[in-house]
Short mmCIF file of all heavy atoms in Angstrom, two decimals:
data_model
loop_
_atom_site.label_atom_id
_atom_site.label_comp_id
_atom_site.label_asym_id
_atom_site.label_seq_id
_atom_site.Cartn_x
_atom_site.Cartn_y
_atom_site.Cartn_z
N TYR A 20 49.84 149.54 50.43
CA TYR A 20 49.18 150.65 51.21
C TYR A 20 49.17 150.16 52.65
O TYR A 20 48.37 149.34 53.02
CB TYR A 20 47.77 150.92 50.66
CG TYR A 20 47.05 152.05 51.28
CD1 TYR A 20 47.68 153.16 51.79
CD2 TYR A 20 45.66 152.03 51.37
CE1 TYR A 20 47.01 154.19 52.36
CE2 TYR A 20 44.97 153.02 51.98
CZ TYR A 20 45.65 154.15 52.43
OH TYR A 20 44.98 155.22 53.05
N PRO A 27 43.31 158.71 62.03
CA PRO A 27 42.62 159.86 61.44
C PRO A 27 43.41 160.30 60.18
O PRO A 27 42.65 160.79 59.25
CB PRO A 27 42.72 160.94 62.50
CG PRO A 27 43.85 160.53 63.42
CD PRO A 27 43.86 159.04 63.38
N SER A 29 44.86 158.41 58.01
CA SER A 29 44.52 157.39 57.06
C SER A 29 43.11 157.74 56.45
O SER A 29 42.83 157.66 55.28
CB SER A 29 44.50 155.98 57.60
OG SER A 29 45.80 155.61 57.99
N VAL A 35 42.58 160.85 48.50
CA VAL A 35 43.82 160.98 47.74
C VAL A 35 44.24 159.57 47.25
O VAL A 35 44.55 159.43 46.03
CB VAL A 35 44.98 161.48 48.60
CG1 VAL A 35 46.33 161.49 47.85
CG2 VAL A 35 44.68 162.89 49.05
N ARG A 48 50.11 147.74 40.62
CA ARG A 48 49.18 146.80 41.33
C ARG A 48 49.16 147.29 42.83
O ARG A 48 50.21 147.37 43.48
CB ARG A 48 49.73 145.41 41.25
CG ARG A 48 48.84 144.33 41.98
CD ARG A 48 49.53 142.99 42.09
NE ARG A 48 50.02 142.52 40.74
CZ ARG A 48 51.29 142.49 40.43
NH1 ARG A 48 52.18 142.90 41.28
NH2 ARG A 48 51.64 142.09 39.25
N LEU A 51 47.23 145.76 50.11
CA LEU A 51 46.99 146.41 51.46
C LEU A 51 47.68 145.63 52.52
O LEU A 51 47.76 144.43 52.49
CB LEU A 51 45.47 146.36 51.67
CG LEU A 51 44.91 146.94 53.00
CD1 LEU A 51 44.99 148.45 52.98
CD2 LEU A 51 43.42 146.50 53.14
N GLY A 54 47.65 148.06 59.73
CA GLY A 54 48.78 148.65 60.52
C GLY A 54 48.84 148.19 61.96
O GLY A 54 49.98 147.93 62.41
N GLU A 63 43.80 151.35 74.77
CA GLU A 63 43.48 151.95 76.06
C GLU A 63 42.09 152.54 76.11
O GLU A 63 41.52 152.92 75.09
CB GLU A 63 44.47 153.07 76.38
CG GLU A 63 44.62 154.19 75.39
CD GLU A 63 45.72 155.13 75.76
OE1 GLU A 63 45.84 155.55 76.89
OE2 GLU A 63 46.51 155.47 74.77
N ILE A 72 43.78 164.94 73.56
CA ILE A 72 44.82 164.81 72.55
C ILE A 72 44.24 164.37 71.26
O ILE A 72 44.61 164.91 70.17
CB ILE A 72 45.89 163.67 73.07
CG1 ILE A 72 46.59 164.16 74.28
CG2 ILE A 72 46.83 163.27 71.96
CD1 ILE A 72 47.43 163.08 74.98
N ALA A 80 43.87 167.03 61.49
CA ALA A 80 43.65 166.22 60.29
C ALA A 80 42.54 166.79 59.38
O ALA A 80 42.66 166.79 58.19
CB ALA A 80 43.30 164.78 60.71
N LEU A 83 43.82 169.91 57.46
CA LEU A 83 44.71 169.68 56.42
C LEU A 83 44.10 168.79 55.26
O LEU A 83 44.34 169.14 54.08
CB LEU A 83 45.99 168.94 56.95
CG LEU A 83 47.03 168.66 55.90
CD1 LEU A 83 47.59 169.98 55.22
CD2 LEU A 83 48.22 167.89 56.53
N THR A 84 43.31 167.86 55.60
CA THR A 84 42.80 166.88 54.58
C THR A 84 41.47 167.30 54.01
O THR A 84 41.12 166.82 52.96
CB THR A 84 42.64 165.48 55.21
OG1 THR A 84 41.60 165.47 56.16
CG2 THR A 84 43.95 165.02 55.87
N LYS A 85 40.73 168.16 54.71
CA LYS A 85 39.46 168.68 54.27
C LYS A 85 38.37 167.54 54.41
O LYS A 85 37.22 167.65 53.94
CB LYS A 85 39.45 169.21 52.87
CG LYS A 85 40.48 170.23 52.58
CD LYS A 85 40.45 171.36 53.61
CE LYS A 85 41.61 172.36 53.29
NZ LYS A 85 41.64 173.43 54.39
N PHE A 98 34.60 153.89 75.98
CA PHE A 98 35.12 153.55 74.71
C PHE A 98 36.55 153.13 74.89
O PHE A 98 37.42 153.82 75.43
CB PHE A 98 34.97 154.76 73.71
CG PHE A 98 35.69 154.49 72.41
CD1 PHE A 98 35.37 153.46 71.64
CD2 PHE A 98 36.69 155.37 72.06
CE1 PHE A 98 36.01 153.26 70.40
CE2 PHE A 98 37.33 155.19 70.82
CZ PHE A 98 37.08 154.09 70.00
N ARG A 99 36.89 151.94 74.27
CA ARG A 99 38.26 151.46 74.26
C ARG A 99 38.84 151.64 72.89
O ARG A 99 38.37 151.09 71.91
CB ARG A 99 38.34 150.03 74.63
CG ARG A 99 39.72 149.38 74.74
CD ARG A 99 39.71 148.00 75.30
NE ARG A 99 41.04 147.40 75.41
CZ ARG A 99 41.88 147.70 76.39
NH1 ARG A 99 41.54 148.46 77.38
NH2 ARG A 99 43.10 147.12 76.42
N ALA A 108 38.37 143.07 60.84
CA ALA A 108 37.12 143.16 59.96
C ALA A 108 37.58 143.41 58.55
O ALA A 108 36.96 142.82 57.60
CB ALA A 108 36.24 144.24 60.52
N GLU A 142 28.75 144.26 65.50
CA GLU A 142 27.54 144.71 64.79
C GLU A 142 27.87 145.76 63.80
O GLU A 142 27.29 145.83 62.67
CB GLU A 142 26.50 145.17 65.79
CG GLU A 142 25.88 144.05 66.53
CD GLU A 142 25.22 142.99 65.64
OE1 GLU A 142 24.56 143.35 64.65
OE2 GLU A 142 25.35 141.78 65.96
N THR A 150 26.43 146.26 53.48
CA THR A 150 26.32 147.37 52.53
C THR A 150 27.22 147.15 51.26
O THR A 150 27.00 147.73 50.22
CB THR A 150 26.74 148.70 53.16
OG1 THR A 150 28.11 148.71 53.49
CG2 THR A 150 25.91 149.06 54.39
N GLN A 159 30.46 136.99 59.53
CA GLN A 159 30.65 136.60 60.92
C GLN A 159 31.54 135.33 61.08
O GLN A 159 32.40 135.27 61.95
CB GLN A 159 29.32 136.40 61.65
CG GLN A 159 29.42 136.09 63.14
CD GLN A 159 28.08 136.02 63.79
OE1 GLN A 159 27.03 136.04 63.19
NE2 GLN A 159 28.12 135.96 65.14
N TYR A 176 52.91 142.59 61.79
CA TYR A 176 54.33 142.30 61.86
C TYR A 176 55.01 142.42 60.46
O TYR A 176 56.14 142.89 60.39
CB TYR A 176 54.55 140.86 62.42
CG TYR A 176 54.02 140.73 63.78
CD1 TYR A 176 53.28 139.61 64.14
CD2 TYR A 176 54.24 141.71 64.71
CE1 TYR A 176 52.77 139.48 65.48
CE2 TYR A 176 53.69 141.57 66.03
CZ TYR A 176 52.97 140.46 66.36
OH TYR A 176 52.43 140.33 67.63
N LEU A 200 57.96 154.58 50.05
CA LEU A 200 57.77 155.61 48.98
C LEU A 200 57.29 156.90 49.60
O LEU A 200 57.66 158.00 49.21
CB LEU A 200 56.80 155.09 47.90
CG LEU A 200 56.63 156.01 46.68
CD1 LEU A 200 57.89 156.15 45.88
CD2 LEU A 200 55.50 155.50 45.82
N ARG A 202 55.57 158.40 53.53
CA ARG A 202 55.21 158.17 54.93
C ARG A 202 54.40 159.33 55.41
O ARG A 202 54.78 160.46 55.35
CB ARG A 202 56.48 157.99 55.76
CG ARG A 202 56.22 157.70 57.28
CD ARG A 202 57.43 157.47 58.05
NE ARG A 202 58.07 156.20 57.81
CZ ARG A 202 59.27 156.01 57.19
NH1 ARG A 202 59.85 157.02 56.65
NH2 ARG A 202 59.74 154.80 57.06
N TYR A 217 59.50 158.59 40.79
CA TYR A 217 59.82 157.19 40.93
C TYR A 217 59.87 156.51 39.53
O TYR A 217 60.83 155.79 39.19
CB TYR A 217 58.78 156.50 41.79
CG TYR A 217 58.80 155.00 41.71
CD1 TYR A 217 59.83 154.27 42.31
CD2 TYR A 217 57.78 154.27 41.07
CE1 TYR A 217 59.89 152.89 42.23
CE2 TYR A 217 57.83 152.92 41.03
CZ TYR A 217 58.88 152.18 41.59
OH TYR A 217 58.92 150.84 41.51
#
Side-chain angles (χ1 to χ4, degrees):
Y20 182 34
S29 297
V35 175
R48 183 190 306 109
L51 182 70
E63 57 185 315
I72 293 170
L83 182 60
T84 70
K85 310 306 178 186
F98 172 59
R99 184 174 180 80
E142 287 303 318
T150 68
Q159 183 173 9
Y176 298 135
L200 185 67
R202 180 180 283 110
Y217 166 71

